[in-house]
Amino acid sequence: MKPTFCLFFLLWTASFFSHDIYAQVTSGPHQIDLTKEVRTLWQKANTEVPSNFTALPILKNTKKKNARIPFVDDTEGNYLSEIILGDGAEVYLLISDFELKGAESLIISSKEELFTQERFTAQHNRSSRQLLIGPYKGDVTMHVTSIDEAPELRLYQAFANPINVGHMSLGFDASFECHVNINCEEGSQLSDIKRSVMRIRMVAEEGVALCTGTLLNNTKGDRKPYVLTAFHCLVPPEGTITPLFDLWWFDFNYESFSCANPEDEPFPFQVQGAERVAEWEDTDMMLLKITDDIPNEANVYFAGWNRELDYIPDTTYLIHHPVGDIKKISIDENPAVIHDKRIGWNNGSNSPEFTHYLNDFDETTYEPGSSGAAIFDQNGSVLGQLHGGPLSDEFCTIGIGYSGRISISWDSGDGPEDRLRDWLDPLDFDRLSIPGINPKLQEVARVTGAILTADGLAIPDVRVSLVGDLTASFLTGSDGRFVFENLDPEGQYTISLEKNTSPSNGLTATDLVLLRNHIVGRSLLDDQFSILSGDVSGDGAISSVDLVQIRNLIIGRQDRFPNKPSWDFEPKVLNMDMGSANAEGVIEVNVIGYKIGDVNYSANPNR
C-alpha cells in the first residue's frame, strides 16, 4: 500500500512508500495550451458579426498573455463576448484590468451539462485589478451590464483544470461515494464548527491547486481572518510554486444542505485574496490571512484551538473537501496517537518525531484536496492540520492520517513568520486553549435616523437619549442625523428626544392670526404639524389659552412655555426592538420635529 500526500494540485499529485522511503511523482506541472478561437453570440446564432468585433489573439503555451477580450454592443447598452473552450476541458480564466464602478456588473455564463452563472460587481475589485474566474468548460459568455462603454478587460492567462488525473476527478461530485456529507447525522454536533472550514483554490504562476483550510479564533477575539492550512500545498513534488495570493479563492459553506448529495452544485460564499503570515515545514503548517474582513452574510465560524503539549483527544473529527468536492466529515472514535517516528515525504522533506498526530479514521477517509483540513477534538477545538497518509480506495477502507500539531507549530522557529503564537495570541495571554466564536451570536445592532422639520429641514442640537442595557446620548449635528452602535441584536431600547432652545424662534403675529381663525372656524388649520405646534398649553386642543401664551412670548412677558419645551417631536418616544432590524442589524428611523407655537413653519431650526 502506497502512502501519499493528501495534497492534490489540479496539475500534479505525489506519493510515498513508508516513513523513510519516497515514491514516484505521478504527474508534473502543466499549463494549458489555449488554442481555441474566440467568437461572439452573433456568430453562434449564425448572424452577421458587427464590424467593431476584434478576434481575441490566441494564447499558446502562455507566452502570449494579456490579450484584450473583445466585447460587442448588443444595441441595448449591454456588452457581450464569448470564449470557446471546447473539448470538455475545465479552464480557469484570469482577467486583468478588472475594475467595475457603481452598478456595473459582469455576468459569466457557462453551459456544459449544467447551466451555471456567476455575477461580479464592484465589491470584487482588487488592488491588483485582477480577477480569477472558473473553472469553466465549453462556451463561456461574458455579459456586462449598466456600463457606458465596452470594458477594458484582458485575458491575462488561462490555467488548465484537467477533469481526470489518473483515476481521480476534481470538484463537485468527484470524491468517493463512501464519503459522508457534513450535514449527515455524523456531523450534527458540529453545526457551528463546520462553518470555519472552507475550500481553498490556490492560484500560482504554474497553475491552480486545491486544499482545505480552517478559520481560527485568536485571544483578542477580533475576527481577524486567519486560515490554517498545509505548508505542502505550496511545495509540490517537483519544487515550490509561485503563488499569486491576491487571486486565491476561499469558498465557504460549499456543502450539501442535507445528508444526500445534491443534484445541482451548491454555490459557495466566495472571498478572494490573502497573504501568507507564517509557515513551518516540520509540522506542515501554513497560516494565511484573508485580505479583507469576512462579511456577516458569509455566516462563518472562527474555530477555537487546543495547544496542550501532551493532549490526546478521545475522538477526532476531520472536516474537509476531498478532491475539491463539497464538505465531508471523517471520524476517529479512538484516542489519537502522538507519532513518535520521523516521517519521510516524497518531495524530499522529513517531519521529525513527535510533530504529528496519527489517526485511523473509522468513519470514511480523506483524499487529495483534503490537505490542510483541521482535525478537531470532541470539544470542537483545532489540534492540527492534515498532512497526508496512505491513499485509500473508493470504499474508504484506509483512513490513516498524519496531522501536524498546533502545539509544536505554536512556538516553532525564530520569529513570527515561523510560528502561530504571535498571530493567535496577540494579547500574550499564554493560554493553552481558547473557544471558538460565532459571529452571528456576537453581532451588534445599530439604530440610526434623521430628525427633520415637516418641510424637510435638518434639525441640529437635538439631544437624543437611549435607555436599555446600554445608556447613551447623541447630539445631532447640522445634518440632523443620529446613530447608536454596538447594541445587543436581541435587546430592547427606548429613545427620547429633546431640544429646548430659543422658545420665541419663529413666533410672529401671523401665527396669532392663523390660530385665531382656526379657533373661530373661519379658516381651519389642516396640517397635522401646524395643529400640534399650536397646542402650546399641552391640553390636546387649540384655544385662547394658547394664544395668550404665544403673545406673552412675543412681547417678552415670559421667556418660555409653561408646559412644553420649545421643540417637540413625532414620535415623541421610540421603542426599539432590535429583533426587527434588517439583515445588516440596522434599524433606520425618521422623526419629524416641530417648533411649538410656529404654525406657519417660519422658525429657523439652527437657532
Side-chain angles (χ1 to χ4, degrees):
M1 186 65 63
K2 294 183 179 181
T4 182
F5 265 123
C6 169
L7 164 67
F8 195 122
F9 275 84
L10 301 185
L11 311 179
W12 57 77
T13 185
S15 60
F16 70 92
F17 281 109
S18 71
H19 300 317
D20 300 298
I21 303 175
Y22 315 131
Q24 304 298 315
V25 178
T26 59
S27 65
H30 171 72
Q31 268 185 303
I32 187 172
D33 178 2
L34 187 65
T35 58
K36 307 300 178 184
E37 63 177 318
V38 177
R39 63 184 180 180
T40 68
L41 287 177
W42 286 271
Q43 289 174 294
K44 188 174 182 180
N46 296 317
T47 56
E48 183 178 353
V49 178
S51 59
N52 63 344
F53 172 72
T54 303
L56 176 66
I58 293 175
L59 297 178
K60 190 173 183 180
N61 297 326
T62 69
K63 293 180 180 179
K64 185 179 289 186
K65 300 180 180 180
N66 211 22
R68 184 177 180 274
I69 299 174
F71 282 84
V72 180
D73 190 345
D74 69 353
T75 71
E76 295 181 0
N78 301 319
Y79 292 84
L80 302 172
S81 184
E82 185 166 272
I83 298 176
I84 304 304
L85 303 176
D87 297 337
E90 290 188 330
V91 175
Y92 284 90
L93 302 176
L94 178 56
I95 307 300
S96 63
D97 291 333
F98 178 84
E99 184 176 17
L100 297 178
K101 302 175 182 177
E104 296 171 359
S105 64
L106 172 64
I107 299 174
I108 310 295
S109 300
S110 173
K111 189 173 184 180
E112 180 78 14
E113 298 177 0
L114 295 174
F115 179 81
T116 61
Q117 186 178 87
E118 293 180 282
R119 180 175 180 267
F120 301 94
T121 63
Q123 70 176 2
H124 294 94
N125 290 345
R126 310 294 305 168
S127 59
S128 65
R129 294 171 61 88
Q130 294 182 326
L131 177 73
L132 182 76
I133 59 176
Y136 304 112
K137 55 184 176 181
D139 302 348
V140 176
T141 301
M142 297 185 180
H143 180 198
V144 183
T145 63
S146 302
I147 195 168
D148 294 333
E149 59 185 15
E152 290 293 328
L153 300 181
R154 295 175 181 272
L155 184 58
Y156 174 74
Q157 193 170 354
F159 301 98
N161 177 15
I163 57 175
N164 284 286
V165 177
H167 70 288
M168 296 181 183
S169 297
L170 303 175
F172 175 61
D173 203 28
S175 64
F176 294 145
E177 292 184 5
C178 54
H179 284 292
V180 175
N181 282 321
I182 187 61
N183 286 320
C184 291
E185 183 179 354
E186 291 86 340
S188 59
Q189 68 185 80
L190 305 174
S191 58
D192 284 334
I193 294 163
K194 69 172 185 176
R195 295 187 280 112
S196 65
V197 178
M198 85 293 292
R199 180 179 66 175
I200 309 176
R201 288 180 285 170
M202 300 173 164
V203 186
E205 289 284 359
E206 296 78 9
V208 179
L210 291 175
C211 277
T212 303
T214 307
L215 277 174
L216 296 183
N217 190 17
N218 65 71
T219 56
K220 213 171 187 177
D222 58 3
R223 310 182 206 177
K224 193 160 286 186
Y226 290 123
V227 174
L228 179 69
T229 189
F231 171 84
H232 78 262
C233 288
L234 291 184
V235 188
E238 295 187 357
T240 58
I241 63 174
T242 308
L244 303 172
F245 287 110
D246 196 56
L247 299 177
W248 286 22
W249 280 109
F250 297 84
D251 298 330
F252 292 95
N253 305 316
Y254 184 52
E255 60 191 59
S256 172
F257 295 107
S258 68
C259 184
N261 287 324
E263 293 185 5
D264 298 329
E265 182 176 8
F267 190 73
F269 189 98
Q270 300 173 325
V271 179
Q272 188 179 24
E275 60 178 302
R276 175 173 45 186
V277 297
E279 59 184 28
W280 189 244
E281 185 175 6
D282 285 357
T283 56
D284 196 43
M285 177 274 293
M286 180 164 62
L287 189 70
L288 307 168
K289 180 181 175 295
I290 295 177
T291 305
D292 298 321
D293 291 337
I294 301 173
N296 288 337
E297 55 265 32
N299 191 26
V300 300
Y301 182 85
F302 292 79
W305 39 261
N306 187 323
R307 65 176 186 89
E308 294 180 56
L309 189 59
D310 298 320
Y311 177 62
I312 301 295
D314 295 331
T315 304
T316 306
Y317 301 92
L318 178 74
I319 305 176
H320 55 115
H321 289 280
V323 294
D325 201 353
I326 57 177
K327 196 176 295 178
K328 310 290 184 177
I329 183 172
S330 303
I331 305 174
D332 182 1
E333 297 175 347
N334 300 300
V337 173
I338 296 177
H339 192 60
D340 60 358
K341 295 180 176 62
R342 179 180 62 90
I343 309 170
W345 305 92
N346 76 324
N347 66 348
S349 66
N350 290 275
S351 299
E353 58 271 18
F354 302 107
T355 58
H356 284 59
Y357 281 110
L358 171 61
N359 289 100
D360 188 356
F361 294 103
D362 304 285
E363 190 73 51
T364 78
T365 184
Y366 54 87
E367 292 187 69
S370 303
S371 280
I375 55 169
F376 297 89
D377 69 6
Q378 63 277 0
N379 302 312
S381 298
V382 174
L383 307 180
Q385 74 289 329
L386 183 65
H387 193 158
L391 187 64
S392 190
D393 55 26
E394 61 182 313
F395 303 106
C396 298
T397 56
I398 301 174
I400 296 174
Y402 299 88
S403 301
R405 299 169 61 201
I406 278 185
S407 56
I408 305 300
S409 306
W410 185 260
D411 214 10
S412 52
D414 299 322
E417 69 280 2
D418 302 321
R419 62 196 184 206
L420 296 174
R421 184 188 74 192
D422 306 79
W423 313 99
L424 302 186
D425 188 16
L427 299 179
D428 200 24
F429 283 164
D430 199 30
R431 292 179 178 169
L432 294 177
S433 64
I434 63 170
I437 58 172
N438 187 347
K440 290 198 78 173
L441 298 181
Q442 294 200 348
E443 287 176 2
V444 292
R446 180 163 57 111
V447 174
T448 183
I451 306 174
L452 308 173
T453 63
D455 51 357
L457 298 178
I459 306 177
D461 301 319
V462 178
R463 176 64 62 183
V464 187
S465 300
L466 177 139
V467 176
D469 60 0
L470 173 71
T471 300
S473 65
F474 192 102
L475 191 67
T476 59
S478 59
D479 59 357
R481 295 196 63 83
F482 65 91
V483 60
F484 294 103
E485 300 183 293
N486 300 318
L487 304 180
D488 182 348
E490 297 181 356
Q492 295 184 340
Y493 300 88
T494 298
I495 293 177
S496 58
L497 306 98
E498 180 184 11
K499 179 172 181 174
N500 195 19
T501 60
S502 303
S504 61
N505 178 17
L507 302 187
T508 65
T510 302
D511 298 304
L512 294 174
V513 172
L514 292 172
L515 286 169
R516 185 179 295 110
N517 288 340
H518 178 84
I519 292 171
V520 300
R522 184 177 300 159
S523 179
L524 296 177
L525 297 172
D526 58 2
D527 178 83
Q528 172 191 4
F529 294 103
S530 292
I531 295 172
L532 290 172
S533 297
D535 179 21
V536 299
S537 64
D539 60 4
I542 297 177
S543 66
S544 59
V545 175
D546 303 304
L547 288 175
V548 171
Q549 291 191 16
I550 293 173
R551 185 175 63 247
N552 286 343
L553 245 72
I554 292 174
I555 65 177
R557 183 171 294 171
Q558 60 189 53
D559 58 4
R560 62 183 178 85
F561 293 118
N563 302 318
K564 281 195 172 183
S566 59
W567 287 81
D568 212 341
F569 304 92
E570 182 60 36
K572 299 178 186 294
V573 176
L574 299 166
N575 293 309
M576 315 301 300
D577 181 354
M578 301 312 298
S580 63
N582 63 19
E584 286 73 42
V586 177
I587 292 181
E588 177 83 25
V589 295
N590 291 306
V591 178
I592 299 297
Y594 51 94
K595 174 66 183 61
I596 297 301
D598 175 32
V599 297
N600 67 343
Y601 302 160
S602 64
N604 181 353
N606 291 292
R607 290 178 54 192

